[in-house]
Amino acid sequence: ADGYDAYAIQQKWQARWAEEDPFRAGGADDTRPRKYVLGMFPYPSGDLHMGHAENYAYVDIVARFWRHRGYNVLNPIGWDSFGLPAENAAIQRGADPREWTYANIEKHKKSFREYGSSYDWSRILHTSDPEYYRWNQWLFQRLLERGLAYRKASPVNWCPNDQTVLANEQVVDGHCERCGAEVTKKNLTQWYFKITAYADRLLDDLNQLEGFWPQKVIRMQRNWIGRSVGADIDFEIEGRDEKVTVFSTRPDTLHGATFFVVAPDSDLAAELVSGADAEVRMRFQAYLEQVRKESDIERQSTDRPKTGVFLGRYAINPVNGDRLPIWAADYVLADYGHGAVMAVPAHDQRDLDFARAFDLPVKVVVDTTAPITGAIPVIELDEQGVPIDPGADEASLVDLDPAKTGVALTGEGRMINSGPLDGLSKRNAIARMIEQLEAAGTGRAAKSFRLRDWLISRQRFWGTPIPVVHTEDGRIVPVPDDQLPLELPNAVGLDLKPKGTSPLGGATEWMQTIDPETGEPALRDPDTMDTFVDSSWYFLRFLNPGDKTEAFSTREADRWAPVDSYIGGVEHAILHLLYARFITKVLFDMGLIEFTEPFSSLINQGMVLLGGSKMSKSKGNLVEFEASMKDPGADAARVAITFAGPVEDDINWEDVSTTGAQKFLARAWRVASDVTSDPDVIWAEGDIALRRVTHRLLADASGLIEQNKFNVVVARLMELVNATRKVIDTGAGPADPAVREAAEVTAMVLDLFAPHTAEEMWEVLGYDGFVGLVPWRQADSMLLVEETVTAVVQIDGKVRATLDVPARIDSAELERLAREDARIVRSLGDREIVRAIVRAPKVVSFSTR
Ligand code: ANZ
């Protein structure tokens, strides 16, 4: 467009920002209220693309918005710079991972400058700097002191391709999250962080985040932690002194247990079978070998035929003395609950499938045809607070016999064949059974979690060295704080290729050290930490990144933290967020911070897709960030992405109109440059209709931004620019004060989305300072009179009423008004509305059949 040179404008304002550094957060003497806005820090891979552009556009919208609203905003940037991609790149090129990493960081910095992101550039951090990872080591020592870091040998997830262990969270459907190789198990001694000690708090505190975090993320975290509530029940085993405990969510069904199952790969199975005859032992061994090759997913799959081996032993049901044959079967997992179950085939589908496969008895103890009504509350809640539908089965109990139908009776009902429990509902029977077991000393209320401890050892080079030494007599001694950081040795000359043991083990000189307590020779630990340790607390380091004396400053944390707005991809819904929440709680327990949740609100943006799949280098479908800074330019790229749809939705790059965005920006700029009045005009004398549009936008925009409806604000800006253009061309003309007012408001709000163009407009309008720092204009309530429209209300296709409603009414409110309208109530009579279709503000359509 004539006169609007996007690229020149972009360069001009970037130079000014670099020179004057206007977005640096205010210090301790700044009395404005504070907001901490943070984008998930990037991994310095070489290929920034439009997915990144989307994320950093949203971060900048939020940061700029709060600045306009008068807040002292902290919006820092840093790099999550340890990890496998750098190491793999280094292996491919025979170079030092440091070079690759820091060269990429420089490229990123340049890109973010070109994007016009309003960061506080004085707080940059890189997790691969010794000055950063020193504090990972410090954190490790604190966890060690509190018994929250420990070492144990166990079968761990092993990626045969990357030749390293993986946390449970890094195994996706049985495959390595990074490279896609099928994950196997390997027995190794590894370091763990005891996140399970915080399982209850990690679950319960999610309630605080309701409404502030995406519902989906909260649900994923709840499922991942996976709390089940029930009982531990002790069973005597014939020929064994000690009892065996099982966890059950359905202690009410104990009378219906007809057999007993242990995980084939548990110590218990090995012990139970050791006394059996040779044939059973052989069959068990063969089975065990087969099971060892199966993934947990396969083992839990419901559509595989059930397999197992009878061990020739019996457990005794503590409530009725029944002898229960003990089987080993793969559907029972060694590391959940106690690795053993009481099997109740009538009421558990897995047990029923097994019973039918091996011809074991099925005993019904809940009559699901007996409804739970009357005095007993009809609505029960499950552990997640969701009402359980008690809906009784309609057929007779004889027809429902699970042994015949193959369908377990899992619904509500009344207890039968259960002695003193007979007649009780499930909930009451569970409580009564637990009481009975506790009184007899054979069981107790218990919880079980799906969450496992966090495995943090990695057999890779490019990470934080684990700060302990191993003495010759087998002790493990922490490296004292005053000897931290324990720095990585030089990578040059080290063989970094994955080979199943840590590359650091090959750094002979580095490995050899002394026991800090005795001075005797000792060896370092050759493993490095999972990089999720680095990102579990980095938001605190940003508060004082150069601090040489502590990980972070409690005083600064009191001022800034927790993070007010955290913005990033949904791919971090479990791992990173759970670990950061855990470490935050640990730091709280250490008395170092005053809050227990790190991120007060969370925005997850959708993905940018090209050709229907997520942009990635491996798929070769990248639209590169660098190239788009020239064409369509930073502002147009941001506007196009933001306008493409709601924040949380995926965007198809094919549907994103960068030319539309360019035209809009040129039109906005043109409006500002057409203004002929001076900054001191009296707005009240301007065109009233245009003023209404301007003030309506002002009034709505902040609410819309706070609800993350960024695309709607862009649409409203487009409306405003068009309305202004009309007044310039065919109305009161460019000298009208309302035109100036509209152009100024456009510049101020546009700053959130297209900061370079907005600054240029502001300058063209005759102002000196940065528009990015201008206070938000107040809407004049006199100009906000509501427009009304007429809505029609139909019942079964016939118009039965009309309503005068505000033009901006939402669907829920419109439906409510329609339902309450006297004419509608009368027309309905005793017919019931079964469906409502609402198109605010114009139509409500009810169906009654
Ligand atoms: C008896 C019973 C009867 C059960 C019934 C359920 C229904 P969630 O909800 O996932 O926590 N279980 C216990 N430990 C197990 C293990 N290591 N591997 C496989 N299954 C195991 O599941 C808890 C239920 O899963 C427990 O309650 C147990 O079966 C089984 F009508 O006990 B239940």
Side-chain angles (χ1 to χ4, degrees):
D2 51 318
Y4 173 71
D5 182 344
Y7 195 63
I9 289 174
Q10 193 173 312
Q11 287 186 310
K12 167 179 162 184
W13 290 100
Q14 279 160 17
R16 293 274 295 274
W17 291 327
E19 208 176 285
E20 298 183 37
D21 199 13
F23 306 120
R24 192 185 273 238
D29 53 348
D30 192 318
T31 55
R32 291 173 298 172
R34 285 172 292 266
K35 285 275 181 195
Y36 187 176
V37 178
L38 185 63
M40 292 182 182
F41 66 165
Y43 187 83
S45 51
D47 44 341
L48 277 184
H49 55 72
M50 297 325 279
H52 301 98
E54 184 192 18
N55 187 212
Y56 302 114
Y58 294 151
V59 172
D60 213 37
I61 290 170
V62 176
R64 287 176 180 274
F65 173 70
W66 289 114
R67 254 182 238 116
H68 287 293
R69 300 293 306 191
Y71 284 77
N72 177 9
V73 172
L74 173 58
N75 180 210
I77 181 77
W79 280 268
D80 188 13
S81 51
F82 266 145
L84 270 184
E87 192 158 339
N88 290 342
I91 291 165
Q92 267 167 27
R93 284 160 224 206
D96 187 328
R98 274 185 192 90
E99 280 168 33
W100 185 89
T101 301
Y102 287 91
N104 279 335
I105 288 175
E106 285 314 306
K107 272 196 266 173
H108 274 206
K109 279 184 194 160
K110 187 169 158 279
S111 296
F112 290 143
R113 293 270 192 191
E114 282 187 320
Y115 205 40
S117 284
S118 63
Y119 293 125
D120 179 338
W121 290 97
S122 70
R123 294 169 185 259
I124 289 174
L125 62 80
H126 315 119
T127 57
S128 55
D129 290 354
E131 272 315 308
Y132 185 89
Y133 67 71
R134 162 183 188 174
W135 303 109
N136 288 339
Q137 294 170 334
W138 167 89
L139 181 65
F140 180 96
Q141 308 299 31
R142 302 293 83 77
L143 289 163
L144 199 59
E145 287 161 9
R146 319 191 123 237
L148 293 171
Y150 67 95
R151 238 170 146 238
K152 80 171 173 198
S154 69
V156 295
N157 300 308
W158 180 258
C159 173
N161 181 45
D162 291 333
Q163 293 272 311
T164 187
V165 304
L166 301 170
N168 281 347
E169 290 83 345
Q170 288 165 323
V171 181
V172 179
D173 292 338
H175 294 265
C176 172
E177 175 200 50
R178 278 216 176 280
C179 72
E182 198 167 329
V183 173
T184 57
K185 293 267 178 187
K186 191 168 175 172
N187 223 338
L188 284 175
T189 300
Q190 303 279 293
W191 285 100
Y192 290 82
F193 284 171
K194 203 170 187 171
I195 190 170
T196 54
Y198 284 71
D200 273 318
R201 285 164 70 185
L202 286 166
L203 191 72
D204 294 338
D205 287 357
L206 287 170
N207 296 340
Q208 295 174 31
L209 304 174
E210 270 317 330
F212 299 98
W213 278 33
Q215 197 41 246
K216 181 174 154 194
V217 176
I218 294 180
R219 196 173 57 238
M220 285 165 84
Q221 294 240 335
R222 283 201 177 116
N223 290 340
W224 189 263
I225 299 164
R227 179 164 65 197
S228 295
V229 179
D232 276 349
I233 306 173
D234 308 328
F235 283 73
E236 245 168 75
I237 308 286
E238 285 180 4
R240 188 181 196 263
D241 290 341
E242 270 171 63
K243 292 185 179 178
V244 170
T245 303
V246 304
F247 171 74
S248 176
T249 47
R250 296 290 306 273
D252 55 318
T253 63
L254 180 49
H255 288 267
T258 57
F259 58 102
F260 196 93
V261 188
V262 297
D265 47 343
S266 62
D267 294 345
L268 178 62
E271 182 215 304
L272 290 177
V273 82
S274 63
D277 60 48
E279 202 216 304
V280 171
R281 287 206 314 266
M282 255 170 55
R283 253 195 293 143
F284 174 79
Q285 271 312 323
Y287 184 57
L288 181 59
E289 264 155 51
Q290 171 197 324
V291 171
R292 285 231 162 98
K293 293 193 200 105
E294 299 166 355
S295 69
D296 284 2
I297 304 277
E298 282 172 299
R299 289 174 63 164
Q300 289 170 286
S301 141
T302 46
D303 43 57
R304 289 166 76 232
K306 288 280 181 287
T307 56
V309 175
F310 175 47
L311 300 181
R313 306 281 298 259
Y314 291 87
I316 305 299
N317 189 328
V319 288
N320 58 16
D322 281 359
R323 287 181 89 213
L324 311 177
I326 303 179
W327 289 69
D330 61 356
Y331 77 96
V332 172
L333 305 176
D335 66 349
Y336 186 72
H338 304 284
V341 308
M342 65 177 206
V344 185
H347 305 290
D348 182 283
Q349 192 61 46
R350 301 158 295 181
D351 296 342
L352 181 62
D353 294 343
F354 193 84
R356 281 162 53 96
F358 294 98
D359 224 5
L360 294 159
V362 177
K363 180 180 169 195
V364 175
V365 291
V366 184
D367 176 359
T368 55
T369 68
I372 306 297
T373 51
I376 295 160
V378 177
I379 299 172
E380 294 192 23
L381 302 180
D382 70 10
E383 291 101 54
Q384 323 291 7
V386 179
I388 300 165
D389 179 3
D393 286 322
E394 279 171 16
S396 82
L397 199 53
V398 176
D399 297 333
L400 293 174
D401 181 3
K404 297 213 180 74
T405 63
V407 181
L409 302 174
T410 55
E412 275 295 331
R414 292 194 181 278
M415 304 308 299
I416 53 173
N417 300 327
S418 295
L421 300 185
D422 282 358
L424 294 181
S425 70
K426 167 176 158 185
R427 182 168 63 177
N428 290 345
I430 289 176
R432 190 74 65 82
M433 179 56 86
I434 289 174
E435 250 173 48
Q436 203 185 314
L437 291 168
E438 282 176 350
T442 50
R444 62 219 66 87
K447 284 185 263 191
S448 204
F449 293 90
R450 221 181 78 95
L451 184 68
R452 294 278 155 271
D453 278 340
W454 174 13
L455 197 178
I456 60 122
S457 311
R458 294 291 178 278
Q459 290 70 49
R460 300 302 299 244
F461 170 81
W462 192 230
T464 305
I466 291 179
V468 300
V469 305
H470 300 265
T471 64
E472 283 177 343
D473 56 357
R475 284 174 305 117
I476 292 174
V477 184
V479 176
D481 284 356
D482 62 10
Q483 292 176 26
L484 301 179
L486 167 58
E487 289 197 39
L488 284 170
N490 204 324
V492 177
L494 267 188
D495 180 13
L496 300 183
K497 275 197 219 64
K499 52 189 175 302
T501 57
S502 299
L504 284 177
T508 323
E509 241 174 81
W510 184 88
M511 282 297 288
Q512 281 163 6
T513 182
I514 52 161
D515 175 350
E517 283 169 5
T518 63
E520 296 289 316
L523 284 180
R524 296 203 182 282
D525 195 302
D527 289 352
T528 53
M529 293 182 208
D530 181 4
T531 55
F532 278 111
V533 176
D534 314 0
S535 53
S536 67
W537 66 280
Y538 77 109
F539 63 97
L540 290 167
R541 186 71 186 165
F542 272 133
L543 305 180
N544 209 4
D547 199 328
K548 296 239 186 308
T549 59
E550 53 189 353
F552 61 90
S553 140
T554 294
R555 218 197 47 217
E556 290 296 306
D558 286 346
R559 295 179 62 223
W560 287 108
V563 174
D564 294 286
S565 272
Y566 196 38
I567 304 162
V570 74
E571 65 273 21
H572 293 298
I574 296 178
L575 296 150
H576 160 56
L577 292 174
L578 193 66
Y579 295 147
R581 296 182 60 227
F582 161 53
I583 294 299
T584 297
K585 289 174 200 304
V586 174
L587 296 172
F588 172 84
D589 289 352
M590 289 169 64
L592 295 177
I593 51 178
E594 299 269 357
F595 52 93
T596 54
E597 283 293 332
F599 311 120
S600 303
S601 80
L602 176 70
I603 300 176
N604 278 149
Q605 84 274 4
M607 287 183 299
V608 180
L609 312 173
L610 186 64
S613 56
K614 182 181 176 172
M615 280 192 187
S616 77
K617 196 177 199 164
S618 56
K619 292 210 191 72
N621 65 346
L622 290 186
V623 174
E624 283 186 9
F625 189 96
E626 253 326 288
S628 58
M629 292 305 99
K630 285 222 166 65
D631 182 23
D635 283 353
R638 287 173 177 232
V639 168
I641 290 173
T642 308
F643 189 55
V647 171
E648 61 284 354
D649 286 9
D650 289 348
I651 298 171
N652 248 319
W653 187 252
E654 287 96 334
D655 304 337
V656 172
S657 171
T658 52
T659 37
Q662 283 171 315
K663 280 188 192 147
F664 158 61
L665 291 172
R667 271 209 310 282
W669 174 86
R670 177 98 255 159
V671 158
S673 56
D674 282 354
V675 169
T676 52
S677 58
D678 290 333
D680 55 6
V681 287
I682 297 166
W683 291 334
E685 293 168 2
D687 179 280
I688 189 84
L690 179 57
R691 294 203 73 208
R692 282 216 170 105
V693 182
T694 303
H695 283 260
R696 177 46 65 193
L697 179 137
L698 271 178
D700 291 349
S702 41
L704 288 167
I705 297 288
E706 287 187 57
Q707 296 164 47
N708 310 326
K709 293 185 178 159
F710 307 145
N711 58 324
V712 180
V713 178
V714 174
R716 298 287 295 280
L717 276 171
M718 291 175 173
E719 274 170 37
L720 178 59
V721 168
N722 289 345
T724 317
R725 180 84 260 154
K726 241 202 203 136
V727 172
I728 295 173
D729 290 349
T730 61
D736 189 275
V739 168
R740 165 167 282 279
E741 185 184 35
E744 290 186 6
V745 168
T746 300
M748 183 199 72
V749 180
L750 189 64
D751 174 60
L752 312 189
F753 310 97
H756 309 90
T757 307
E759 290 292 2
E760 186 69 16
M761 287 171 68
W762 198 241
E763 191 179 72
V764 165
L765 286 164
Y767 293 105
D768 271 345
F770 292 110
V771 74
L773 303 179
V774 161
W776 196 261
R777 292 258 172 95
Q778 282 302 317
D780 180 345
S781 56
M782 297 298 284
L783 292 165
L784 299 179
V785 277
E786 277 283 359
E787 264 180 84
T788 58
V789 296
T790 303
V792 300
V793 186
Q794 307 176 334
I795 298 175
D796 296 330
K798 294 210 180 69
V799 175
R800 296 294 184 191
T802 57
L803 304 169
D804 287 330
V805 297
R808 281 162 211 294
I809 195 165
D810 65 26
S811 299
E813 177 64 6
L814 181 58
E815 181 177 340
R816 190 183 67 79
L817 291 177
R819 281 179 187 268
E820 287 173 1
D821 186 85
R823 288 160 298 181
I824 295 300
V825 172
R826 208 175 326 113
S827 315
L828 273 173
D830 51 13
R831 284 181 296 167
E832 203 186 319
I833 296 172
V834 295
R835 212 157 74 99
I837 298 171
V838 185
R839 301 242 184 286
K842 293 269 173 68
V843 189
V844 181
S845 172
F846 292 129
S847 313
T848 63
R849 40 174 202 269

